[in-house]
Amino acid sequence: MSATRILVIPGSLRTGSFNVRLAAAATKELTLAGVNVTRISLADYPLPIYDADLEAQSGVPKAAVDLKHMIGAHRGILIITPEYNASVPPLLKNAIDWVSRVRERGEAPLAVFHRRAFAIAAASETRFGGLQALIALRQVLTLGCGANVIPHQLALAGADRAFDEMDALKDPRDAETLQGVVRQLVETAQVMT
């Protein structure tokens, strides 16, 4: 039996992003868990701001179709989001919005969000660790897209001090929480059909 495929999507492009560093730590944990892990950058899927008129005139951009295919090729998805103004950043929300518009070969709306497991995490310098962004992201995924988002999540507080020089989490409690997220995501993804 082949290894479960898990996709890691950091919702930031910023150089030195704490969320990209957390994605690196999560990728390492997923590799140690024995899954086939892929980490992408949303920079590889450039998308205009979602506009229904643009969609009507030109269709869904190829990058949105490609991102939908990437998500569809994995049983589990880990999205790691920065927090902007108590919500998810425009880059990530826009990518989700465009992917939600991709429909191929008569498939049901939002089909790529169904029958796979999603997990969410955030890293922030604040003491809440991006918790408000996680609340917003969970709502977008579950209520907006019908995704199965696992209960376990990580809100990494004090992210400016959380990583060592190898991008590992310094605090054993943070590392344990990340391992719990990874474990629940993998277990849930393995039973999704």
Side-chain angles (χ1 to χ4, degrees):
M1 184 166 129
S2 62
T4 302
R5 298 188 72 194
I6 305 290
L7 179 64
V8 178
I9 305 175
S12 177
L13 303 179
R14 184 179 62 81
T15 302
S17 164
F18 303 128
N19 290 278
V20 172
R21 294 175 80 183
L22 183 54
T27 300
K28 182 177 178 182
E29 287 299 328
L30 285 160
T31 301
L32 292 172
V35 299
N36 183 340
V37 61
T38 304
R39 184 171 55 140
I40 62 169
S41 170
L42 291 176
D44 295 328
Y45 301 89
L47 292 164
I49 296 297
Y50 178 75
D51 177 343
D53 289 339
L54 176 63
E55 181 184 7
Q57 292 167 2
S58 308
V60 176
K62 181 181 183 308
V65 175
D66 292 345
L67 182 55
K68 183 240 181 192
H69 289 165
M70 178 62 74
I71 292 169
H74 294 80
R75 299 307 322 149
I77 316 299
L78 173 58
I79 300 176
I80 302 176
T81 183
E83 182 173 285
Y84 286 20
N85 299 320
S87 191
V88 295
L91 171 73
L92 180 57
K93 179 64 166 65
N94 191 57
I96 292 169
D97 289 345
W98 271 117
V99 168
S100 76
R101 302 301 298 169
V102 180
R103 232 174 277 150
E104 300 173 290
R105 295 175 296 281
E107 69 187 4
L110 305 167
V112 75
F113 293 97
H114 305 159
R115 297 186 319 275
R116 53 193 33 85
F118 284 79
I120 57 176
S124 172
E125 294 178 54
T126 71
R127 63 187 174 123
F128 298 112
L131 184 60
Q132 294 174 107
L134 292 178
I135 293 167
L137 181 56
R138 185 175 294 276
Q139 179 175 315
V140 166
L141 291 171
T142 58
L143 299 179
C145 300
N148 175 21
V149 182
I150 65 169
H152 212 56
Q153 64 184 26
L154 171 60
L156 181 65
D160 54 327
R161 303 175 307 281
F163 299 95
D164 67 18
E165 62 282 346
M166 301 297 291
D167 282 339
L169 293 171
K170 293 194 277 190
D171 188 322
R173 293 170 297 185
D174 292 334
E176 185 178 333
T177 301
L178 178 59
Q179 290 163 3
V181 170
V182 163
R183 188 168 43 253
Q184 189 174 57
L185 175 60
V186 171
E187 288 170 358
T188 305
Q190 289 172 338
V191 299
M192 298 296 288
T193 57

